[in-house]
Amino acid sequence: MNIHEYQAKSMFREYGIKVQEGVHCTSVEEALSAYDSLGSSVVAVKSQIHAGGRGKGTLFDPASGEEVMQGGVKIAFSRDDVEKFATGISGNLLVTKQTGPEGKIVSNMYVESGCSIEHEYYLAVLVDRDSKSVLVMASTEGGMDIEEVAERTPEAIHKIWADPATGISEEDASGLASSLGLSGSSADEMAGMLASLYELFIERDCSMIEINPLVRTEEGGMVALDAKVSFDENADFRHPWRDELRDLSEEEEVEIRANELGLSYVKLDGDIGCLVNGAGLAMASMDVIKLYGGEPANFLDIGGGATKESITAAFEIILEDSSVKGILVNIFGGIIRCDMVARSVIEASEEIGLNVPLVVRFSGTNHAEGKAVLDESGMAVHTTSTLSEGARKIVELIGGGI
Amino acid sequence: MSIWINDDSKVLIQGITGRQGTFHGIRMSRYKTKIVGGVTPGKGGQTVDLDGLEAPVFDSMSEAISETGAEVSVIYVPAKFAAGAIVDAAESFQAAGGGLVVCITEGIPTLDMVKAVAIVNSCPDVRLIGPNCPGIISPGEDGGCKVGIMPAFIHEKGRIGIVSKSGTLTYEAVAQTMSVGEGQTTCVGIGGDPVNGTGFIDCLSAFEDDPETEAVVMIGEIGGSAEEEAAEWVAANMTKPVVGFVAGSTAPPGKRMGHAGAIISGGKGTAAEKFAAFEEAGIYVARDPSEIGKVLVRALVDAGLREP
């Protein structure tokens, strides 16, 4: 789960991590009164969407599709600037490298006091899969894409690992500060910030905190000019406060609905719907469809505890996608019995009025019974015993393939 | 032979009184796995009926181990408490001379696993498999040792080792070996979480050392770099043929595909990179999991282990 910059910064304030004064706004009027209240001659007007690359993005009028403004983060030197930029941002479509061409409507803005920047750094805290511990990664090349830095100047990236029992040692923290070339009060501030960030990361069950840029001001202070925080959803149960930070407009409505039903669904661009048990097998089903010349319309794992209700809901979700021209059901029965899935498939098809070709592949627990149930139903369904045959069949039925 | 478990392994079930623990306990027992008891804190002294087997319940792992002499434990505890169960099992086994902990539970908070794995790693005689996995199974002549949730009936004793990040894809791989008349020594599901216990290399190395395993099927998926590291290890150390598949060639970047660890981030962890690493390491690659059987036959024939 991701949150907005303004939300992340208010969390930073709670943990004593230095950020500039700022106000969350949802309209041009609010942006203007934020400017008046901040009392800073220079402010940043920042689009609040979850995707990165906002500064280099482009804003479009969602109705006409015409370009409105370059840059989703603007520096304003006057009240007029604020009005101009907020008007360009508010309610318009921001397209960045990360949003894809469809972009995101900006309904939230953040107006923040400016500061004098001496140098920009990059700082991130994340879970490192290789060392199985929390990793802090920093670079002197702030404001740039970290992947780009890793590619071009890997020596500019410095890393320290936290001990799962004791956290980040003071020695490592000051070591990291000095590898970034920091000294004196800046180095002390940096070490303090690392301790606070680690505390936040652990207490709030984060999966990633990214500050890009982190800046050293002319006065030597270390300030988080940007803030990206995401949480580990497996830990939702111990953080009920997260509900209030969730911006549902940033999530796919159908993915939320699927999630609530115990289904794991991701929409893709193709035309063959997939209904599969198991995440690995669901990915493999998509891959094999593609291998035989088709295009998968979705990833859908019905999970180990699927019921008649969740399978019916899964069918509905697949068919809501108007580009779906055919469906492949791929079940390897373990705990789930193929005959139960067969009955659910029949019921769902009748209820929904299925009008696209359907191929069902059963293997594992009660696969023969499952096939018999489908055969006896008189339903127009093709059954196969391997994934390969199933994928080829559905691709053939919708008239595609190689 | 097999790796890590065999017909005689004595197995405890953590969370035995829960719905999942009892449900799968019955199925494990029917496969003739030697279930010697279970643990549910606060319910010590009771017994649980596993289809005719009265399994004793203990309050803690240390008590259960000293009473039963168990060397394997399987965890069906809810996500909230699962990391605690792993730590209890690891510390108790270490104190008793060692053991294997298999965690089936899905959805454990990642930072709980960071702490738990650090503790497991400080117990040199304890191995953790999982979490978020189907478990481990070694088919025997009559039944065998099943420590997990996999459908036992699809397996048969044989000479192929299987290791996989995904549950149902493991079953697919098992069915593929069966379709060409090959059985399995041991099948290990290592799970799809970003922070887990046993990895590919641990399994490959154990299969390499196991005299009965003659070839290995390895199933990876997008995310992380475990497959690339495993491929490097295979190239340098493995004398037995390896067949590989990676799920997620069509997965879009930045989207979590069901498993917490199955995500392409910053352009890294793609199936294309992993397939390329496999090929470079001399691993026999199947692009379609329904062809694992065919590719396995080719690998066995090339190694002189099967008639063409």
Side-chain angles (χ1 to χ4, degrees):
Chain A
M1 171 190 167
N2 298 318
I3 58 173
H4 288 298
E5 176 194 358
Y6 75 90
Q7 297 167 320
K9 283 186 171 167
S10 103
M11 201 171 277
F12 277 15
R13 281 188 197 98
E14 272 177 62
Y15 282 82
I17 298 156
K18 234 193 229 175
V19 292
Q20 291 296 101
E21 284 294 308
V23 183
H24 166 225
C25 321
T26 55
S27 67
V28 179
E29 295 69 41
E30 280 180 27
L32 286 168
S33 64
Y35 174 79
D36 297 336
S37 71
L38 285 172
S40 166
S41 57
V42 181
V43 299
V45 184
K46 309 175 93 175
S47 307
Q48 299 289 290
I49 60 168
H50 286 177
R54 292 170 297 164
K56 293 188 183 107
T58 307
L59 287 142
F60 296 92
D61 184 317
S64 68
E66 269 170 55
E67 185 179 323
V68 177
M69 195 167 79
Q70 280 289 332
V73 174
K74 297 296 236 185
I75 306 299
F77 295 93
S78 66
R79 201 170 191 277
D80 288 350
D81 274 358
V82 172
E83 184 166 17
K84 186 171 78 191
F85 297 145
T87 309
I89 291 171
S90 186
N92 284 329
L93 193 69
L94 179 58
V95 176
T96 79
K97 214 169 77 183
Q98 287 184 17
T99 61
E102 64 275 17
K104 270 274 161 209
I105 296 281
V106 189
S107 14
N108 294 286
M109 290 177 289
Y110 190 58
V111 177
E112 187 180 56
S113 301
C115 72
S116 56
I117 300 169
E118 181 84 16
H119 190 87
E120 298 190 355
Y121 303 86
Y122 172 93
L123 182 64
V125 188
L126 61 149
V127 176
D128 177 29
R129 295 166 73 138
D130 293 331
S131 69
K132 297 170 184 182
S133 57
V134 175
L135 163 69
V136 179
M137 202 160 70
S139 131
T140 49
E141 311 290 302
M144 279 175 62
D145 219 14
I146 191 67
E147 283 91 25
E148 222 176 298
V149 178
E151 189 95 355
R152 290 198 350 224
T153 46
E155 67 281 359
I157 298 177
H158 306 277
K159 295 176 178 177
I160 56 171
W161 285 266
D163 182 301
T166 55
I168 300 172
S169 70
E170 276 179 42
E171 203 185 332
D172 282 348
S174 36
L176 185 67
S178 69
S179 1
L180 294 174
L182 296 169
S183 58
S185 64
S186 307
D188 293 345
E189 274 201 31
M190 181 70 185
M193 181 183 278
L194 290 175
S196 306
L197 278 172
Y198 183 73
E199 195 186 341
L200 188 165
F201 193 89
I202 300 295
E203 283 183 4
R204 302 300 179 109
D205 273 298
C206 297
S207 51
M208 162 113 150
I209 301 177
E210 192 178 44
I211 305 176
N212 191 19
L214 163 72
V215 303
R216 179 159 49 91
T217 62
E218 279 168 4
E219 299 75 36
M222 301 300 292
V223 177
L225 265 205
D226 193 12
K228 199 182 273 177
V229 172
S230 57
F231 301 120
D232 172 15
E233 286 166 36
N234 283 352
D236 279 352
F237 66 85
R238 56 186 172 216
H239 302 292
W241 49 268
R242 284 183 185 175
D243 286 345
E244 280 173 37
L245 299 187
R246 208 163 163 191
D247 181 352
L248 293 175
S249 73
E250 285 281 349
E251 299 173 37
E252 291 285 342
E253 186 271 334
V254 54
E255 288 176 16
I256 302 170
R257 198 149 34 94
N259 210 6
E260 281 164 2
L261 292 159
L263 309 166
S264 182
Y265 173 90
V266 176
K267 187 174 158 18
L268 303 170
D269 297 328
D271 51 15
I272 297 175
C274 313
L275 188 155
V276 188
N277 68 324
L281 192 60
M283 280 190 268
S285 304
M286 296 161 23
D287 298 348
V288 174
I289 287 172
K290 175 94 174 176
L291 192 65
Y292 295 118
E295 288 288 344
N298 64 277
F299 166 91
L300 199 163
D301 170 14
I302 59 171
T307 59
K308 212 175 246 188
E309 289 70 35
S310 67
I311 293 172
T312 306
F315 258 97
E316 283 171 353
I317 286 171
I318 291 173
L319 288 167
E320 268 173 34
D321 179 353
S322 57
S323 47
V324 169
K325 288 197 234 149
I327 298 178
L328 174 66
V329 173
N330 182 19
I331 302 294
F332 202 115
I335 306 164
I336 288 191
R337 299 182 341 260
C338 293
D339 56 327
M340 185 279 278
V341 176
R343 286 190 195 90
S344 309
V345 165
I346 294 166
E347 220 165 273
S349 312
E350 282 169 357
E351 217 174 286
I352 303 164
L354 183 71
N355 55 2
V356 295
L358 174 67
V359 173
V360 177
R361 180 270 176 141
F362 282 149
S363 192
T365 308
N366 291 5
H367 63 96
E369 290 87 339
K371 186 180 179 319
V373 168
L374 289 178
D375 288 346
E376 284 158 22
S377 74
M379 206 176 118
V381 51
H382 301 262
T383 53
T384 69
S385 57
T386 71
L387 168 56
S388 229
E389 291 164 34
R392 283 176 214 251
K393 188 73 199 170
I394 191 67
V395 171
E396 178 200 316
L397 286 172
I398 69 159
I402 39 176
Chain B
M1 273 292 286
S2 51
I3 65 168
W4 302 325
I5 55 168
N6 57 50
D7 287 355
D8 300 320
S9 301
K10 289 188 227 158
V11 181
L12 288 168
I13 299 173
Q14 288 175 264
I16 191 167
T17 57
R19 202 171 58 88
Q20 293 290 325
T22 308
F23 181 88
H24 291 291
I26 289 170
R27 278 148 191 84
M28 288 162 62
S29 179
R30 282 185 192 151
Y31 195 60
K32 304 197 174 153
T33 307
K34 292 198 168 51
I35 311 277
V36 293
V39 172
T40 299
K43 296 199 175 167
Q46 302 181 3
T47 60
V48 173
D49 177 13
L50 300 179
D51 209 18
L53 173 86
E54 286 301 317
V57 181
F58 301 93
D59 280 319
S60 73
M61 277 299 285
S62 60
E63 189 193 351
I65 294 166
S66 71
E67 290 294 322
T68 64
E71 59 258 332
V72 178
S73 168
V74 58
I75 298 175
Y76 295 107
V77 168
K80 259 186 209 190
F81 309 110
I86 291 173
V87 169
D88 182 23
E91 289 176 340
S92 306
F93 274 134
Q94 185 59 36
L100 173 70
V101 183
V102 180
C103 184
I104 307 302
T105 310
E106 180 179 356
I108 304 176
T110 306
L111 290 175
D112 289 6
M113 280 313 301
V114 167
K115 280 192 198 139
V117 165
I119 292 168
V120 171
N121 288 345
S122 71
C123 301
D125 304 309
V126 173
R127 166 173 303 287
L128 168 67
I129 294 177
N132 190 12
C133 76
I136 174 170
I137 184 169
S138 289
E141 298 294 347
D142 171 27
C145 186
K146 159 177 142 105
V147 185
I149 58 173
M150 62 291 280
F153 74 93
I154 63 171
H155 301 80
E156 210 166 278
K157 189 177 167 63
R159 57 174 174 168
I160 309 300
I162 297 180
V163 54
S164 166
K165 270 185 180 177
S166 143
T168 41
L169 257 186
T170 317
Y171 314 160
E172 192 78 49
V174 169
Q176 279 295 306
T177 64
M178 297 302 293
S179 75
V180 295
E182 297 286 347
Q184 309 84 40
T185 48
T186 301
C187 309
V188 193
I190 59 173
D193 273 4
V195 177
N196 62 0
T198 295
F200 282 122
I201 295 174
D202 302 303
C203 298
L204 291 166
S205 151
F207 283 133
E208 173 71 13
D209 292 342
D210 172 37
E212 279 188 12
T213 301
E214 295 185 11
V216 176
V217 176
M218 170 164 66
I219 313 278
E221 65 187 26
I222 54 163
S225 56
E227 290 79 2
E228 286 88 333
E229 285 149 27
E232 236 171 76
W233 192 91
V234 166
N237 303 288
M238 196 90 186
T239 60
K240 301 174 181 178
V242 178
V243 172
F245 173 76
V246 179
S249 292
T250 47
K255 277 278 186 186
R256 187 173 122 162
M257 306 302 278
H259 288 154
I263 181 163
I264 298 168
S265 42
K268 292 280 167 204
T270 64
E273 287 173 309
K274 294 175 191 293
F275 271 124
F278 279 11
E279 274 171 347
E280 199 176 313
I283 293 171
Y284 289 79
V285 164
R287 297 274 167 177
D288 171 350
S290 318
E291 294 194 340
I292 289 171
K294 216 161 73 185
V295 176
L296 176 64
V297 168
R298 184 155 51 86
L300 290 169
V301 169
D302 284 357
L305 295 167
R306 186 169 158 150
E307 293 295 314

